[in-house]
Amino acid sequence: GENVEQHPSTLSVQEGDSAVIKCTYSDSASNYFPWYKQELGKGPQLIIDIRSNVGEKKDQRIAVTLNKTAKHFSLHITETQPEDSAVYFCAAGGGNAGGTSYGKLTFGQGTILTVHP
Amino acid sequence: DTAVSQTPKYLVTQMGNDKSIKCEQNLGHDTMYWYKQDSKKFLKIMFSYNNKELIINETVPNRFSPKSPDKAHLNLHINSLELGDSAVYFCASSFSPDTQYFGPGTRLTVL
C-alpha cells in the first residue's frame, strides 16, 4: 500500500518568513496530492491540492510543487502570518477506478507550524 | 450551512459500552469516509462508502461497524469499547475520488 513520509515534524518561523514542508510517497499509482490545515479542536481543512498532470500550483501565498519521478511534493507558504500556525498534513491518493484503493487518501504524520509575531 | 456535521462532539464512556457516532453531509457527495486520529495526530482511514456501498475497509476490529442508511449519512457504531479506542474520529465526504471535506470531529474518551 501507499506510504507517505512528511518532514519536518515541527517548524518554527518568524512572521514574514517562508515555510516549506516536504512529503514523499511510495505508490506510483497515486495521482492526487492534497494539503490540509488543522487548527486546534477542528477538522482538517483543504488548503490546496495538485494532480499528477500538473507540476506546480499556486494560490496567493500558498504553492505546491510535485515531482512524480522522484515521488515527492512540497508545500510552500510565503509571507507567513501568526494565523498560519496550525498542523499541516500532506496526503496521497487517487488510485485506479474500481480498485479497492479508489478514493483512499494516505496521510503524512503532520507538521506543527508555529509562526512567531 | 454546515457541510459535514458530526454528533456528538464529545463522547465519554466506560470500557465495554456500545456507542454510535453520526455523520451527515449536505454537499450532495456520493462518498463518505471515517478516519481515526490518534493522540499523535496521525490520521488513518477506517472505512469509505460510495452510494451506500462499502468500498474501503481497512484493518479495523470488527467491533467497529459503519452503516450508511442513505448517501448523505454514514454512522459508526462501536461495540465493547476499549481504552485504545480513545481518539478523535472524523467523518469526511467527497465526489469520489476527488477532494475530501472533513467534519469537525468527535472526541471519544473511554475510561
Side-chain angles (χ1 to χ4, degrees):
Chain A
E2 176 66 275
N3 182 49
V4 178
E5 296 286 334
Q6 181 173 344
H7 299 281
S9 56
T10 60
L11 180 58
S12 185
V13 300
Q14 288 297 125
E15 183 176 0
D17 287 351
S18 294
V20 180
I21 302 170
K22 299 183 178 183
C23 289
T24 60
Y25 63 99
S26 61
D27 188 350
S28 56
S30 290
N31 54 23
Y32 176 60
F33 307 92
W35 286 88
Y36 286 86
K37 174 184 181 183
Q38 186 177 21
E39 296 174 326
L40 197 62
K42 296 185 178 180
Q45 180 183 16
L46 180 82
I47 54 171
I48 195 166
D49 56 11
I50 192 167
R51 298 182 189 278
S52 59
N53 58 345
V54 176
E56 184 174 355
K57 183 176 177 181
K58 191 174 181 181
D59 183 3
Q60 298 183 357
R61 297 186 296 110
I62 294 173
V64 58
T65 58
L66 171 65
N67 183 327
K68 281 224 80 180
T69 304
K71 295 199 190 78
H72 66 71
F73 55 114
S74 301
L75 177 72
H76 304 253
I77 306 174
T78 58
E79 300 171 29
T80 53
Q81 301 165 4
E83 50 265 39
D84 293 330
S85 297
V87 182
Y88 289 81
F89 292 95
C90 64
N96 298 314
T100 55
S101 63
Y102 193 57
K104 177 182 174 181
L105 286 180
T106 300
F107 281 79
Q109 299 90 333
T111 296
I112 301 172
L113 172 65
T114 304
V115 180
H116 299 282
Chain B
D1 276 286
T2 306
V4 183
S5 60
Q6 296 178 229
T7 54
K9 187 166 176 62
Y10 300 97
L11 186 52
V12 181
T13 188
Q14 299 286 334
M15 269 197 312
N17 284 350
D18 303 338
K19 290 293 178 186
S20 292
I21 306 171
K22 295 186 176 183
C23 178
E24 177 180 1
Q25 55 96 3
N26 62 5
L27 297 167
H29 289 162
D30 60 359
T31 305
M32 297 183 72
Y33 311 79
W34 278 110
Y35 285 85
K36 180 180 180 180
Q37 186 171 49
D38 62 23
S39 57
K40 294 183 178 178
K41 296 284 189 183
F42 186 61
L43 262 171
K44 185 166 169 48
I45 190 165
M46 300 172 68
F47 303 101
S48 80
Y49 269 76
N50 177 266
N51 288 315
K52 301 198 298 174
E53 180 184 349
L54 182 64
I55 300 297
I56 295 172
N57 185 355
E58 292 293 284
T59 309
V60 177
N62 56 16
R63 297 182 295 105
F64 290 78
S65 52
K67 280 192 171 54
S68 181
D70 55 58
K71 282 198 317 182
H73 296 84
L74 179 63
N75 303 323
L76 183 65
H77 188 75
I78 316 170
N79 289 327
S80 303
L81 277 155
E82 300 176 358
L83 292 175
D85 297 332
S86 295
V88 181
Y89 292 84
F90 287 101
C91 176
S93 72
S94 74
F95 286 117
S96 187
D98 219 315
T99 306
Q100 294 182 23
Y101 295 88
F102 283 76
T106 295
R107 181 174 293 277
L108 171 64
T109 303
V110 182
L111 304 175

